[in-house]
Amino acid sequence: MLVGLEQLREDLHDLSPAADLHLHSVYSDGTFTPDQLAAIGRELGFVALALTDHDTVEGCSEMAQACNALGLQFIPGVELTTEFNNREIHVLGYFIDPTHTDLNDLLLTCQLARRERVKRIVHKLHQINVPLKGELVFEIAQCNSPGRPHIARALVRSGFASNYEEAFEKYLKKGRPAWVPKLKVGTAEAIELVHAAGGLAFLAHPGISNVEDCLDTLIRMGFDGIECFHSKHSPEQSERYTQVAISRGLLISGGSDCHGYNKDKPLIGGVRLPMRYVNAIVHRHAGKPR
Ligand code: AMP
Ligand code: ZN
Ligand code: FE
Ligand code: FE
């Protein structure tokens, strides 16, 4: 079945029960607590939410409780940074068991690497005469999974950048003087680990990951689904990935990738994933052998 633009517009503007399956909290680089995300999600009329912090599942139990109290369906998740063919591929794991040993081992390794990376970035900043205090970054981050958004906030607060975007433009993005690559696990390995932890693996925001020439190879690695709807996808991209997913028998996901108040207004509410897609994910997960 092909999904036409008309159908897509209906999906995107549909105010019937919907979900946001891509949210970041203060446990990684978002600015909202899981409680706040649940409350805002409820306010915006969502009926299901997933927490997908970078390299951590620490916020999942808090968010599960908050969603439960508000009558919202909750899907525990995580976003892993992986590498395939020199490309950075983000993998979303849904329904992962937050206590799974191997998954937690990987998450701890990634978190440690993130903290070391912050120190290396700060060191690089010092080398170009930007004396940012490393302690300030960790004070702002207050989590085990610090990232560039925390450094950007510290740069703004210390007057080394006039705003969040500028901090990335001047110092932090690839090709800028303080750029340091992140620890990345292989894409296939990440998918395997998500599966081992009882979860379903989704290819995150393909529209912004430069995967056009390797999409087929990636799909064959064992992804269960594609994040077709994302704040940074155009309607045409969403339609195309939806068609790819349907034609390959893959599940369809979507979310705002909200990080809270980092720059403009929070992205939550901008993507409303129709519940039939969520139900298909839940159904597939329920039928998975464990
Ligand atoms: P990290 O995981 O430390 O590499 O940081 C990645 C996060 O930084 C992303 O999830 C975005 O929220 C943010 N980010 C990356 N690039 C930019 C950019 N050019 N401008 C603003 N935010 C960015
Ligand atoms: Zn992020
Ligand atoms: Fe991502
Ligand atoms: Fe994300």
Side-chain angles (χ1 to χ4, degrees), residues 22-24 29 52-54 79 90 92 204-205 227 230 256-259:
H22 194 150
L23 295 167
H24 294 273
D29 55 5
T52 54
D53 272 318
H54 299 283
E79 183 171 19
H90 290 193
L92 291 167
H205 45 64
E227 185 182 45
H230 183 272
S256 62
D257 208 351
C258 177
H259 284 74

Side-chain angles (χ1 to χ4, degrees), residues 51-68:
L51 184 64
T52 54
D53 272 318
H54 299 283
D55 300 333
T56 181
V57 290
E58 289 163 286
C60 286
S61 58
E62 206 174 308
M63 183 107 165
Q65 276 183 24
C67 285
N68 197 26

Side-chain angles (χ1 to χ4, degrees), residues 5 16 22 29 63 76 78 136 147 178 185 224 243 245 262 277 290:
L5 261 185
S16 57
H22 194 150
D29 55 5
M63 183 107 165
V78 69
L136 178 64
V185 57
D224 302 284
Q243 286 178 359
N262 269 328
Y277 297 133
R290 251 165 268 205

Side-chain angles (χ1 to χ4, degrees), residues 36-205:
Q36 287 171 329
L37 283 172
I40 297 165
R42 175 78 187 78
E43 192 66 31
L44 292 170
F46 286 109
V47 297
L49 299 174
L51 184 64
T52 54
D53 272 318
H54 299 283
D55 300 333
T56 181
V57 290
E58 289 163 286
C60 286
S61 58
E62 206 174 308
M63 183 107 165
Q65 276 183 24
C67 285
N68 197 26
L70 295 171
L72 304 178
Q73 187 174 344
F74 175 67
I75 297 178
V78 69
E79 183 171 19
L80 302 171
T81 306
T82 78
E83 185 168 26
F84 172 71
N85 264 2
N86 282 323
R87 245 66 69 88
E88 182 170 317
I89 310 291
H90 290 193
V91 174
L92 291 167
Y94 293 128
F95 287 115
I96 30 83
D97 168 8
T99 66
H100 189 267
T101 309
D102 289 348
L103 176 65
N104 274 284
D105 284 351
L106 174 74
L107 297 181
L108 286 175
T109 305
C110 292
Q111 291 165 18
L112 187 64
R114 278 179 170 275
R115 292 197 286 276
E116 289 307 313
R117 176 176 176 240
V118 167
K119 291 180 198 160
R120 286 181 63 201
I121 292 176
V122 170
H123 180 70
K124 281 195 154 190
L125 286 166
H126 289 183
Q127 285 178 326
I128 55 161
N129 295 320
V130 178
L132 182 74
K133 289 200 166 65
E135 309 87 80
L136 178 64
V137 179
F138 290 110
E139 194 185 307
I140 288 174
Q142 283 193 43
C143 70
N144 292 322
S145 200
R148 286 179 297 164
H150 301 117
I151 304 174
R153 282 183 232 155
L155 282 164
V156 174
R157 202 184 284 181
S158 308
F160 297 120
S162 51
N163 59 54
Y164 180 83
E165 286 293 340
E166 194 191 278
F168 275 90
E169 284 304 318
K170 272 172 86 173
Y171 310 114
L172 301 174
K173 72 179 210 183
K174 193 171 181 178
R176 295 294 183 260
W179 185 74
V180 173
K182 207 163 29 176
L183 173 75
K184 299 180 202 80
V185 57
T187 307
E189 197 187 325
I191 296 172
E192 234 174 75
L193 199 52
V194 166
H195 288 161
L200 297 170
F202 281 66
L203 174 62
H205 45 64

Side-chain angles (χ1 to χ4, degrees), residues 228-247:
C228 300
F229 301 91
H230 183 272
S231 301
K232 290 193 177 157
H233 281 179
S234 66
E236 290 74 19
Q237 282 177 319
S238 300
E239 187 201 14
R240 196 174 99 62
Y241 293 121
T242 301
Q243 286 178 359
V244 170
I246 290 171
S247 69

